[in-house]
C-alpha cells in the first residue's frame, strides 16, 4: 500500500479509537455527571430534593442526550466529535467546549511548543558536539549537569524556581500568563508582560529536557560517526564544519525528529502539571479544572483534543519524513 | 539457562564496581530505602496523621523538618511516604514489564497476525498521551489506593518494553543457534525459555528500571494534581497540600522542599541506574562519556 | 629520480596504543610508487594493509597513531602537513576508493551533491554549471547514465555505487588513488567489470594507484607490482609476473601454492597455522612459526627488506641479497 495512504489510515484509526475510548471510560466510572451538578445545586441550597429535583434531572438528561440508548449516544458522540462539535460545558453551560479549548490553546502552544522546540534545537546541537571528537572538551563537562536535571520532573524544578525567583528575590511573577488587571491585546507592553510570565515555566521545561535531547543525539551521533560515509567525507577533504552539519548531524537527526513528533504531541498533555503549578491558563489548566468539577463534556473534549494533537503531529512528521530521509518508500 | 544467568549476574556484579554511575545510583536508592526502613525506629510515625502536632511550625529540635498547616510532622510524613512511592513504582514496574515483555515476545517470536495485532495496539497506545488518560481514569476512581494507582499506571506503561523486546526477539529469531534449536526439533516453549529468554533478560531488566521510573513519575504527577491516594500520606500529595494551602507564598519552605528533595534523589538515583544499565546492554555508549 | 616518483613512503610506522601497550600495526614500511603504476598490496586481515591506507590519508582514528616515517607527495611530506594543508591535499592529490562501498555514500544526499562538494571544498573556481557538466562527463566515463546524478545512494545497486565512488575519486584528477578492497563487497560477476573500469580511468589519468586486497586473481588482472604484508611488515615487493612465476619469500610461495589452478587439478595446500596476534609477536621473523624452512637464525633476528634483484625486494634471511 502507498506510504501516505497507510499513514492516513493509521491516523484515522487512532482518532476513532481515541474518541471511542473517550466515550467508554467516563461511563465505566461510578458517579454520574448529573449527580455532580445536583450535588453542586444542593450545596448552594438551590435544590431541596423531591419532585423538582427529578424534573431537573430529566431535563438535564434530555438536553445532553443521556436518555437515549447507549449505541445512539455513541454514534451521536462519534459524528459530533469528528465534526469537532464537542458539546457544551456542564459547569459553565451554555459555553461550548471547543470555544474554551480555542481560548486556552494559544497559551499552551506559545509556552510549551516554543520551549520544546528550543530545547530540541539546543539539546540536539549539544548532543552532537558531545560525540564530535574535535569539539572543545568543555562541552562534555556540561553533560552530567544536564543529565541529572533531565531526571527531575519539570514541575518540581518549577516550584523551586518560583520560590527562588518570584518569592525570595521577587524578580519575576509567581504565576499566570499575564498580570491580573491587564486586558490581552496586541501591544508591546502586554507582550513583554507575557514574556516575563513565561520565563520561569519555560526555563523549568528547558533545563529539564535539554539533557534528554542531548543524550539521544549523542547516541545516534556516535553510531553515525562510525559509518563509512563519514570516512569518505573526510577523505574528500571537506571542512570539519561541512562534515559535522551535512554528513553527521543531518543523518543523526533523523531518529530525533521522530521523537520530536511525539514530544510535541505530548506537549499539550504534559502541560497539565506545569500549567497547574504556574496557574497558566492553557489546555492543561482547563482539563484540571474540568476534572475537579466533574465537567464530563469538557473532560471528554479536552482529552480528545490532546489525542488529536499527538495524532496530528505524528501524521505531520510521517508526511514530512520522506523529504528528510529519501530511503523511506513513498 | 541458569549458567548463562549466573555468568551474566557475575559480569553485572563486577561491572557495578567499575561503574561510578551505577554505584552512585544504587547508593542514592539504598539511602531512601534505609530512610523508610529505619526511620520509624527514630521518629514517631503516628505524627504523620493530620492534627497530631501543632501546625505550621518551622524546623526545630522537636520537629527537625517542621510541621505543615494540617498539623503533620513533615519528617514523619516523609518517612511514611517514601516507601509508599517506592512500592507503587516497583509494583507498576513489575506489572508493566511482565506484560510488555510477554507481548513483545509473542509478537516478535510468532510474527504474522499476532504481531500485527500487538504492534498496532502498541503503536496506538503510544500515540495516546498517557497523562490525559491517566487523569480521566484517576478522576473516575472513587477511592484511590497505592495498589489501584500502580495497576492503572502499569496498564498504560507496557508499550515501551513491548516494543524494545519485540525488536530484540525479531533479530534473535534469525540467529543461527535458534535455527539450530528449531531444526533439532525443540518446541517453541523450550526455544523461548532456553534460547531466547536468557538473551532478553538484560534488556528486560533495563526496561524494568525505566518502567519503574516512569511509573513513579506518572504517580507523582497524579498526586501533585491531588488525585493520589487519600488515606496514606505520600510525597506527591504532600506537595499538593502545600500548593493548595499556598505554602510557597507563605514562606513555609520546610513543607514542600523536603518531599521535592527526596523525589529528586529518587529520580536521579533511578536515572543513574537506568543509564548504567543501558550502557551495559549497549556497550557502544560506554566510552564516549 | 624523485621526479619520477608519485609517492615515496619511508619507514612508516603506525601503532595502536591502549594504556601503556603499543601494537605495531604498520612496522617500518618503505616503498615507492611511480606515475601510472598500480601497486597491489595483499595480506591476511590484520596484516596492516587497511591501516596503511588510512594512515597515508591521515584518516586513522585514535587509538591508532603515526609513530614515525614520512610520505613524500609532490615534494612535501604529507605526514608533517598542518591540518588545513592536509585537508587541501586530500582528494586533490590523493583520493580514496573505500572498502565498504555499500555504505560509503551519505544516504540522505543526492549523488550530484556528494560529488560537487568535493570540488567546492577545494576552490577550483568552477561555476555550478561547470561542475554539473563535469559530473555528467565523469559518470559517463565510469559507464553510468547522467540521471544517476539526481539519485540517492539507496536507489543504486552495489556495482553502481562503486562506480559512483570511482567517478568521485577522479573528480579532482589526483596523482595517487588508494583503492581499499574496491570490489570486496560486490558479487564476482560485477567485480571484474568494475575493476576494469577502475583500471581504465586510472590509466587515462596516468595516476598511481594502490590496490589493497586479498584476492590474488584480481591482483594478477590489475596490478603491475605486488607487495605482500605480514604482521605489519612488507615481506616481499615484486613485479607481478615474476611474483607469480618465482615467489621469493616463503610466505609468498605458500600464497601462490594455495591458489587453485585450472591446469593442474591438485589438493589445495593452504598455509598451516594462523597469523600471530600483533600483541604477542614471535621473536625474530614473525613468520617463522609457520615457515617450512625456518632456521635458528629466523627465531632470533628480524630480517630486513632487502633488494634481491633490480626490481625485487624480500625480507627473508634465506633469500640471497643482490650484491
Amino acid at each position: 500500500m502507498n506510504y501516505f495512504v497507510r499513514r492516513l489510515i493509521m491516523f484515522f484509526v487512532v482518532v476513532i479509537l481515541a474518541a471511542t475510548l473517550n466515550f467508554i471510560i467516563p461511563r465505566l466510572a461510578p458517579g454520574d455527571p448529573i449527580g455532580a451538578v445536583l450535588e453542586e445545586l444542593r450545596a448552594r441550597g438551590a435544590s431541596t430534593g423531591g419532585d423538582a429535583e427529578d424534573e431537573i434531572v430529566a431535563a438535564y438528561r434530555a438536553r445532553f442526550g443521556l436518555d437515549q440508548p447507549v449505541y445512539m449516544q455513541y454514534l451521536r458522540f462519534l459524528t459530533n466529535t469528528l465534526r469537532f462539535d464537542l458539546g457544551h460545558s456542564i459547569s459553565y453551560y451554555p459555553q461550548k467546549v471547543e470555544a474554551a479549548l480555542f481560548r486556552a490553546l494559544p497559551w499552551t502552544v506559545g509556552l510549551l511548543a516554543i520551549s520544546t522546540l528550543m530545547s530540541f534545537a539546543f539539546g540536539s546541537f549539544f548532543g552532537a558536539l558531545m560525540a564530535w571528537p574535535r569539539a572543545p572538551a568543555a562541552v562534555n563537562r556540561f553533560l552530567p549537569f544536564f543529565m541529572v536535571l533531565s531526571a527531575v520532573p519539570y514541575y518540581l524544578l518549577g516550584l523551586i524556581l518560583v520560590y527562588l525567583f518570584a518569592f525570595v528575590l521577587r524578580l519575576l511573577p509567581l504565576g499566570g500568563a499575564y498580570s491580573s488587571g491587564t486586558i490581552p491585546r496586541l501591544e508591546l507592553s502586554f507582550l513583554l508582560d507575557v514574556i516575563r510570565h513565561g520565563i520561569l515555566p519555560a526555563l523549568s521545561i528547558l533545563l529539564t529536557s535539554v539533557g534528554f535531547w542531548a543524550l539521544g543525539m549523542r547516541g545516534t551521533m556516535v553510531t553515525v560517526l562510525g559509518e563509512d560515509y563519514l570516512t569518505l567525507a573526510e577523505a574528500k577533504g571537506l571542512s570539519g564544519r561541512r562534515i559535522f552539519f551535512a554528513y553527521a548531524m543531518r543523518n543523526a537527526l533523523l531518529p530525533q525528529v521522530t521523537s520530536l513528533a511525539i514530544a510535541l504531541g505530548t506537549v499539550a498533555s504534559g502541560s497539565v502539571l506545569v500549567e497547574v503549578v504556574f496557574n497558566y491558563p492553557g489546555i492543561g489548566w482547563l482539563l484540571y479544572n474540568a476534572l475537579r468539577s466533574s465537567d464530563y463534556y469538557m473532560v471528554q473534549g479536552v482529552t480528545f483534543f490532546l489525542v488529536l494533537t499527538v495524532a496530528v503531529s505524528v501524521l505531520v512528521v510521517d508526511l514530512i519524513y520522506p523529504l528528510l530521509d529519501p530511503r523511506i518508500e513513498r | 539457562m541458569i549458567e548463562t544467568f549466573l555468568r551474566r549476574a557475575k559480569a553485572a556484579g563486577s561491572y557495578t564496581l567499575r561503574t561510578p554511575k551505577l554505584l552512585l545510583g544504587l547508593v542514592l536508592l539504598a539511602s531512601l530505602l534505609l530512610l523508610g526502613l529505619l526511620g520509624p525506629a527514630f521518629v514517631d510515625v503516628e505524627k504523620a496523621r493530620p492534627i497530631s502536632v501543632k501546625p505550621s511550625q518551622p524546623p526545630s529540635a522537636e520537629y527537625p523538618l517542621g510541621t505543615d498547616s494540617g498539623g503533620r510532622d513533615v519528617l514523619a510524613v516523609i518517612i511514611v511516604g517514601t516507601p509508599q512511592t517506592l512500592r507503587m513504582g516497583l509494583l507498576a514496574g513489575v506489572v508493566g514489564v511482565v506484560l510488555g515483555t510477554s507481548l513483545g515476545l509473542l509478537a516478535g517470536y510468532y510474527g504474522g497476525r499476532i504481531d500485527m495485532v500487538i504492534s498496532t495496539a502498541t503503536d496506538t497506545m503510544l500515540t495516546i498521551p498517557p497523562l490525559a488518560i491517566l487523569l480521566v481514569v484517576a478522576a473516575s476512581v472513587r477511592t484511590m489506593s497505592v495498589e489501584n494507582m500502580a495497576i492503572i499506571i502499569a496498564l498504560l506503561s507496557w508499550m515501551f518494553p513491548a516494543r524494545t523486546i519485540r525488536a530484540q526477539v525479531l533479530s534473535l529469531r534469525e540467529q543461527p543457534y535458534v535455527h539450530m534449536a528449531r531444526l533439532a526439533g525443540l518446541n517453541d516453549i523450550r526455544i523461548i525459555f532456553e534460547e531466547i529468554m536468557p538473551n532478553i533478560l538484560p534488556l528486560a531488566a533495563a526496561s524494568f528500571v525505566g518502567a519503574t521510573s516512569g511509573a513513579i513519575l506518572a504517580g507523582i504527577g497524579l498526586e501533585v494534581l491531588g488525585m493520589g491516594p487519600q488515606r496514606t500520606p505520600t510525597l506527591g500529595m504532600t506537595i499538593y497540600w502545600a500548593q493548595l494551602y499556598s505554602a510557597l507564598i507563605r514562606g513555609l519552605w520546610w513543607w514542600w522542599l523536603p518531599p521535592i528533595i527526596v523525589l529528586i534523589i529518587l529520580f536521579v538515583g533511578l536515572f543513574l541506574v537506568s543509564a548504567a544499565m543501558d550502557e551495559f546492554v549497549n556497550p557502544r555508549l560506554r566510552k564516549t562519556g | 629520480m624523485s621526479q619520477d616518483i608519485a609517492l615515496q613512503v619511508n619507514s612508516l610506522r603506525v601503532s595502536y596504543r591502549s594504556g601503556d601497550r603499543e601494537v605495531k600495526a604498520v612496522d617500518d614500511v618503505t616503498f615507492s610508487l611511480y606515475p601510472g603504476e598500480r601497486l597491489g598490496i595483499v595480506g591476511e586481515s590484520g596484516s596492516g594493509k587497511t591501516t596503511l591506507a588510512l594512515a597515508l590519508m591521515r584518516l586513522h582514528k585514535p587509538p591508532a597513531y603515526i609513530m614515525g616515517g614520512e610520505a613524500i607527495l609532490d615534494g612535501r611530506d604529507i605526514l608533517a602537513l598542518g591540518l588545513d594543508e592536509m585537508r587541501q591535499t586530500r582528494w586533490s592529490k590523493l583520493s580514496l576508493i573505500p572498502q565498504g562501498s555499500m555504505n560509503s555514500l551519505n544516504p540522505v544526499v543526492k549523488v550530484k551533491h556528494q560529488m560537487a562538494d568535493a570540488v567546492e571544498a577545494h576552490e577550483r573556481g568552477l561555476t555550478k554549471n561547470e561542475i554539473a557538466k563535469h559530473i555528467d562527463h565523469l559518470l559517463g566515463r565510469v559507464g553510468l547514465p547522467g540521471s544517476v546524478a539526481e539519485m540517492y545512494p539507496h536507489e543504486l545497486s552495489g556495482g553502481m555505487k562503486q562506480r559512483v565512488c570511482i567517478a568521485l575519486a577522479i573528480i579532482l584528477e589526483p596523482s595517487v588513488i588508494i583503492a581499499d578492497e574496491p570490489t570486496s563487497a560486490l558479487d564476482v560477476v560485477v567485480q571484474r567489470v568494475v575493476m576494469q573500469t577502475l583500471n581504465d580511468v586510472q590509466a587515462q589519468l596516468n595516476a598511481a594507484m594502490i590496490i589493497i586486497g586479498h584476492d590474488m586473481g584480481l591482483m594478477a588482472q590489475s596490478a603491475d607490482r605486488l607487495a605482500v604484508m605480514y604482521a605489519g611488515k612488507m615481506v616481499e615487493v615484486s613485479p607481478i609476473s615474476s611474483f607469480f612465476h618465482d615467489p621469493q619469500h616463503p610466505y609468498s610461495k605458500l600464497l601462490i601454492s594455495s591458489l587453485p589452478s585450472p591446469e593442474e587439478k591438485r589438493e589445495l595446500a593452504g598455509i598451516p597455522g594462523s597469523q600471530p596476534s600483533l600483541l604477542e609477536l614471535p621473536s625474530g621473523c614473525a613468520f617463522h612459526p609457520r615457515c617450512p624452512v625456518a632456521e635458528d637464525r629466523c627465531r632470533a633476528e628480524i630480517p630486513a627488506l632487502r633488494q634481491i634483484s633490480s626490481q625485487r625486494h624480500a625480507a627473508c634471511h634465506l633469500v640471497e641479497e643482490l650484491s
Side-chain angles (χ1 to χ4, degrees), chain C residues 245-280:
Chain C
H245 290 120
D246 179 24
Q248 289 295 308
H249 196 279
Y251 179 58
S252 311
K253 289 181 179 158
L254 286 167
L255 276 180
I256 297 290
S257 65
S258 68
L259 289 177
S261 113
E263 290 99 54
E264 33 172 342
K265 294 228 162 101
R266 56 181 165 84
E267 291 272 301
L268 287 182
I271 304 175
S274 58
Q275 185 172 237
S277 153
L278 290 174
L279 280 167
E280 292 153 16

Side-chain angles (χ1 to χ4, degrees), chain A residues 21-308:
Chain A
L21 215 61
N22 234 336
F23 178 83
I24 297 172
I25 290 174
R27 279 169 180 76
L28 287 180
D32 167 355
I34 311 299
V37 175
L38 276 181
E39 252 169 57
E40 206 171 305
L41 288 176
R42 282 200 205 103
R44 283 193 225 141
S47 170
T48 47
D51 290 350
E53 197 173 79
D54 290 342
E55 259 172 55
I56 296 175
V57 172
Y60 261 104
R61 292 184 76 87
R63 180 173 291 157
F64 289 107
L66 295 174
D67 52 348
Q68 298 190 359
V70 178
Y71 72 90
M72 278 302 291
Q73 289 185 40
Y74 176 64
L75 281 182
R76 214 175 80 162
F77 173 79
L78 216 54
T79 46
N80 285 344
T81 303
L82 296 182
R83 278 191 287 129
F84 219 74
D85 174 1
L86 301 174
H88 297 270
S89 160
I90 297 179
S91 309
Y92 302 99
Y93 192 81
Q95 196 187 47
K96 295 284 286 184
V97 168
E98 57 269 25
L101 261 174
F102 286 130
R103 221 176 25 248
L105 188 63
W107 296 112
T108 299
V109 169
L111 174 64
L112 284 114
I114 289 176
S115 35
T116 304
L117 285 174
M118 275 169 68
S119 165
F120 172 80
F122 283 140
S124 298
F125 184 68
F126 274 119
L129 272 185
M130 280 174 209
W132 188 244
R134 274 171 281 171
V139 175
N140 271 303
R141 291 210 193 105
F142 291 107
L143 183 69
F145 175 69
F146 282 114
M147 291 293 92
V148 167
L149 275 181
S150 77
V152 178
Y154 52 88
Y155 50 93
L156 295 185
L157 183 71
L159 280 173
I160 296 176
L161 289 181
V162 169
Y163 181 72
L164 282 180
F165 291 99
F167 180 73
V168 177
L169 299 173
R170 297 189 189 277
L171 288 174
L172 291 163
L174 281 161
Y178 46 88
S179 303
S180 53
T182 54
I183 303 148
R185 68 180 101 88
L186 265 178
E187 178 174 282
L188 190 66
S189 63
F190 180 72
L191 202 69
L192 288 176
D193 191 42
V194 169
I195 292 176
R196 249 168 63 81
H197 281 78
I199 291 176
L200 283 181
L203 198 63
S204 58
I205 294 172
L206 214 62
L207 284 176
T208 52
S209 59
V210 160
F212 169 79
W213 295 114
L215 193 67
M217 187 66 179
R218 193 192 60 159
T220 50
M221 192 78 172
V222 166
T223 311
V224 168
L225 288 182
E227 299 283 1
D228 295 329
Y229 53 81
L230 248 94
T231 310
L232 194 70
E234 211 181 328
K236 281 198 286 187
L238 302 186
S239 65
R241 183 184 296 259
R242 168 120 188 125
I243 299 174
F244 180 76
F245 286 108
Y247 284 73
M249 250 190 106
R250 175 74 174 74
N251 278 287
L253 263 179
L254 293 175
Q256 291 277 99
V257 171
T258 317
S259 310
L260 179 66
I262 297 173
L264 276 180
T266 47
V267 150
S269 69
S271 70
V272 179
L273 280 153
V274 87
E275 288 179 4
V276 169
V277 165
F278 287 97
N279 279 320
Y280 211 79
I283 306 261
W285 179 243
L286 194 66
L287 175 64
Y288 178 68
N289 283 318
L291 282 166
R292 300 262 87 180
S293 57
S294 302
D295 192 341
Y296 239 47
Y297 290 93
M298 187 66 92
V299 172
Q300 263 182 2
V302 176
T303 3
F304 174 72
F305 180 77
L306 293 180
V307 177
L308 196 68

Side-chain angles (χ1 to χ4, degrees), chain C residues 140-304:
Chain C
R141 259 172 78 181
V142 297
L144 290 173
S147 57
V148 166
E150 296 293 332
M151 292 170 129
Y152 289 99
H154 74 278
E155 297 170 295
L156 307 174
S157 71
M160 290 166 89
K161 272 187 226 172
Q162 198 59 317
R163 283 170 192 275
V164 169
C165 285
I166 293 171
L168 190 55
I170 55 169
I171 197 166
L172 296 177
E173 307 190 340
S175 45
V176 177
I177 300 169
I178 300 174
D180 184 7
E181 304 203 15
T183 58
S184 62
L186 304 176
D187 63 64
V188 188
V189 185
V190 187
Q191 275 186 357
R192 307 258 150 195
V193 203
V194 168
M195 203 62 214
Q196 195 52 55
T197 308
L198 178 53
N199 292 341
D200 291 347
V201 297
Q202 172 262 345
Q204 280 169 15
L205 271 185
N206 197 33
M209 178 156 75
I210 298 176
I211 310 164
I212 288 167
H214 45 235
D215 183 336
M216 296 298 264
L218 276 177
M219 288 298 170
Q221 177 203 1
S222 303
D224 302 316
R225 271 197 305 156
L226 199 62
V228 180
M229 285 191 77
Y230 189 82
K233 285 182 179 299
M234 271 191 186
V235 294
E236 177 164 355
V237 185
S238 290
I240 195 82
S241 58
S242 37
F243 181 87
F244 275 91
H245 290 120
D246 179 24
Q248 289 295 308
H249 196 279
Y251 179 58
S252 311
K253 289 181 179 158
L254 286 167
L255 276 180
I256 297 290
S257 65
S258 68
L259 289 177
S261 113
E263 290 99 54
E264 33 172 342
K265 294 228 162 101
R266 56 181 165 84
E267 291 272 301
L268 287 182
I271 304 175
S274 58
Q275 185 172 237
S277 153
L278 290 174
L279 280 167
E280 292 153 16
L281 279 183
S283 63
C285 174
F287 187 63
H288 84 252
R290 299 167 77 185
C291 183
V293 291
E295 299 177 346
D296 283 348
R297 192 173 158 209
C298 303
R299 294 179 192 96
E301 266 177 66
I302 301 178

Side-chain angles (χ1 to χ4, degrees), chain A residues 29 151 163 167 218 269 288 292 310, chain B residues 127 129 140 240 249 256 267 288:
Chain A
Y163 181 72
F167 180 73
R218 193 192 60 159
S269 69
Y288 178 68
R292 300 262 87 180
V310 186
Chain B
T127 335
S140 45
Y240 169 70
I249 50 171
W256 53 268
F267 283 120
T288 53

Side-chain angles (χ1 to χ4, degrees), chain B residues 13 33 38 52-53 79 82 90 111 116 140 151 188 190 196 207 217 248 261:
Chain B
L33 210 62
L38 300 182
S52 57
V53 292
I79 287 172
T82 306
L90 287 176
M116 212 186 78
S140 45
I151 301 297
D188 287 348
R190 283 190 61 187
I196 291 183
S207 50
L217 190 67
L248 207 72
I261 290 176

